[in-house]
Structures are given as C-alpha cells and as structure tokens.
Amino acid sequence: MVGARGLPEDASATTRAGHASWGPAAFGATWLGWDEVLAVDWDEPALPRATRIARYRRRPDGSLDPVRREDWSRAFARAAGIDSRTFDFGRLGEHWAEGTEWDTGPLVFRAERDRRRDAVPADGPWRPVWTVLRTLAEVHGEQHVRLVVWFEE
C-alpha cells in the first residue's frame, strides 16, 4: 500500500477547496488509484503479528464454527491463564504467535492476524465507494480513476 502522498498535483479546484475548508485540522492527505486498489492482495496480513483472539465452537464432527471474531472474555482469560484486568491486549502479538490455540473442549480460542480484507470488507461501509470507483473505471479506464482522502483531528 502507498503512504501519505499529499493531494495530487492535478487535484480539482473542488477537491483543493474541500481540503482547505478543514484548515489545520486536515492531515494525512493521500490518494489511491483504482488500478492500485485492484492490485492489492486482500489476503495479505495487515499487520506483522497477531492482533486479536477469535472464538470458535467445536462441532460434533470436530470442525470449528466461528462464534466471535474478537473475544476478550473471562472464558478466554481462564483458557490462556492470564489476568484480563492487567493483561495488555494491545501487545497480544508479543505474547502469542498467530495460530496459537487454546482448546477448552467445546470452545477453541485462536490468536489471529487481520488481513487487509478485514479492514475493508467488500460488503461493508466501503461498498458504495468501490461501486462508484468501479463504475467510473468502466467509463474512463482503471488508470484514470482515483480516490483522494484526508483525515481530521
């Protein structure tokens, strides 16, 4: 993925005015071409280490049924042997590698790492954005469509 690129040099007057209207609260301006979006490996890990604990229920055939994508429950704390009141879950990946499992019989907890698709699910709030960009690319070509964004404090 690309880092902060700033506003494109050829950004429209409307885009520049929109950005300027935020004043000093605007930061992190960047852009991403539709052709770059299409080239993203959405299965690539988003971060270098485990980021969450997922909960699964074991089916009678032994397969796992997802219950919760993120689970910081007392049941997990007991299975992992930690004190959930003092454990720093923000540093989870420093304690357990991706794929580490705690099997309690009916439940399985697993240290997992988010993939890029987890941050931007196809059926999530970004779906209308991707639909518009895809439609514009069909008309103008993939290399002529981009998304320009910035953030505010």
Side-chain angles (χ1 to χ4, degrees):
M1 298 299 281
V2 296
R5 296 173 158 172
L7 290 178
E9 289 183 25
D10 62 346
S12 69
T14 302
T15 298
R16 290 193 180 285
H19 181 263
S21 72
W22 287 92
F27 70 95
T30 194
W31 56 273
L32 182 66
W34 182 244
D35 54 339
E36 293 171 305
V37 171
L38 294 176
V40 170
D41 176 357
W42 293 101
D43 291 319
E44 179 182 28
L47 296 168
R49 56 182 87 166
T51 55
R52 60 185 157 86
I53 299 296
R55 178 193 289 210
Y56 297 87
R57 181 170 288 113
R58 187 170 302 286
R59 294 180 179 142
D61 67 2
S63 63
L64 299 178
D65 186 27
V67 176
R68 284 203 179 118
R69 191 169 175 278
E70 293 193 38
D71 189 329
W72 307 117
S73 65
R74 287 171 34 195
F76 166 68
R78 282 191 302 272
I82 61 167
D83 183 342
S84 61
R85 295 169 297 174
T86 59
F87 186 81
D88 183 357
F89 286 100
R91 300 176 72 176
L92 178 140
E94 295 174 26
H95 297 278
W96 302 299
E98 178 182 16
T100 302
E101 288 188 355
W102 299 264
D103 190 332
T104 68
L107 298 177
V108 174
F109 299 94
R110 182 183 298 146
E112 296 183 343
R113 185 166 33 158
D114 285 334
R115 305 293 185 227
R116 294 194 185 283
R117 79 174 61 261
D118 296 323
V120 189
D123 59 348
W126 282 83
R127 184 178 184 177
V129 176
W130 300 144
T131 299
V132 169
L133 292 174
R134 185 178 302 108
T135 302
L136 289 170
E138 289 171 4
V139 174
H140 302 287
E142 294 171 0
Q143 69 280 10
H144 300 294
V145 176
R146 68 181 170 216
L147 176 65
V148 179
V149 299
W150 57 86
F151 305 90
E152 58 116 351
E153 294 178 347

